[in-house]
Amino acid sequence: EYTRLGTLALCARAAELSELLKTNQILRTAGIDCAAVSTEEVLTMEPLVRHSIVGGAYYPGDAHLNPGKLLRALEELVRANGGLITRGETVEHLILDGSRVVGVRTANRVIRTTDVLIASGVGSTKLVRPLGVRLLIAPAKGYHLEFDGTTPPSRPLRLFGVKSVVSGVGGMLRVTSKLELTNAPGIPQRRIIDGIPRLTDRYLHLA
């Protein structure tokens, strides 16, 4: 499900549009292709958008895929090349020989190897601490809702003012919220979940 249809950013207020255009100036300096689009152009590109939208921006170089399918394909590739994937076994420490990583220790065993790839998300900060490496990773909690039977947009839509993204994943419509920077466990916050449809309604008509 790899597609390169670009991303469309939407602004519901003039202040949002002004901030978006300033951000785009920085992106252009970095060589990222982006173009301002009028309300009329937005409505032509995406029928789900409300007529009250004041404008937006289009990023034609953006590509998207289904992350679940990507991970399954990577797993199949590893296994096809003789790799072993072990589930439910947490790496507790890196094994060091001086400043060189030569393996990992789990709760059950020691695994020695010539190469170690660390991809443990926020847990990576603890693993690399003995190396004197400080990773700029912060714990966060993300939220999204998926709607079956609702037509997804033709391309991902960035709701600029509320820091959300609306896209189609597996035939369903997915709406995300902005990240909550916290490492606190527990059930999702109801106010955030309830707010996702209300904030989305400023930009799109999904009924």
Side-chain angles (χ1 to χ4, degrees):
E1 290 186 20
Y2 177 88
T3 58
R4 192 165 185 170
L5 300 174
T7 299
L8 186 61
L10 306 176
C11 297
R13 297 183 174 92
E16 294 177 21
L17 184 59
S18 177
E19 182 182 350
L20 176 64
L21 296 180
K22 291 178 182 177
T23 301
N24 285 349
Q25 290 177 354
I26 299 173
L27 294 179
R28 291 192 190 94
T29 302
I32 298 175
D33 188 13
C34 53
V37 289
S38 66
T39 302
E40 291 73 21
E41 290 172 314
V42 168
L43 295 173
T44 300
M45 296 173 71
E46 183 49 64
L48 296 177
V49 175
R50 290 191 176 278
H51 286 69
S52 56
I53 291 298
V54 298
Y58 178 55
Y59 307 85
D62 285 359
H64 309 85
L65 51 75
N66 185 317
K69 288 190 174 183
L70 172 63
L71 289 177
R72 287 191 291 272
L74 290 174
E75 180 177 354
E76 292 173 2
L77 182 63
V78 169
R79 295 186 188 280
N81 285 274
L84 175 65
I85 296 177
T86 305
R87 302 181 187 278
E89 189 171 359
T90 303
V91 172
E92 297 181 340
H93 305 285
L94 300 178
I95 300 173
L96 304 180
D97 181 5
S99 61
R100 178 175 173 77
V101 179
V102 295
V104 298
R105 181 186 298 277
T106 74
N108 304 321
R109 57 179 171 159
V110 170
I111 304 173
R112 293 191 175 273
T113 181
T114 56
D115 298 289
V116 175
L117 173 65
I118 300 174
S120 301
V122 69
S124 301
T125 57
K126 179 181 178 181
L127 287 175
V128 302
R129 195 171 297 150
L131 299 173
V133 176
R134 182 173 176 267
L135 298 178
L136 299 178
I137 301 176
K141 185 185 297 182
Y143 296 82
H144 76 266
L145 298 179
E146 292 184 351
F147 300 90
D148 197 4
T150 302
T151 302
S154 57
R155 59 177 56 81
L157 306 175
R158 211 166 108 231
L159 314 185
F160 187 75
V162 296
K163 306 297 187 289
S164 293
V165 174
V166 179
S167 60
V169 178
M172 293 190 293
L173 183 139
R174 173 180 289 184
V175 184
T176 69
S177 76
K178 61 183 179 181
L179 286 176
E180 179 187 6
L181 295 177
T182 176
N183 59 356
I187 62 175
Q189 295 195 40
R190 193 76 218 179
R191 64 177 179 80
I192 296 179
I193 296 175
D194 291 343
I196 292 175
R198 175 174 50 82
L199 295 174
T200 303
D201 191 60
R202 294 182 190 173
Y203 300 80
L204 309 173
H205 48 83
L206 300 178

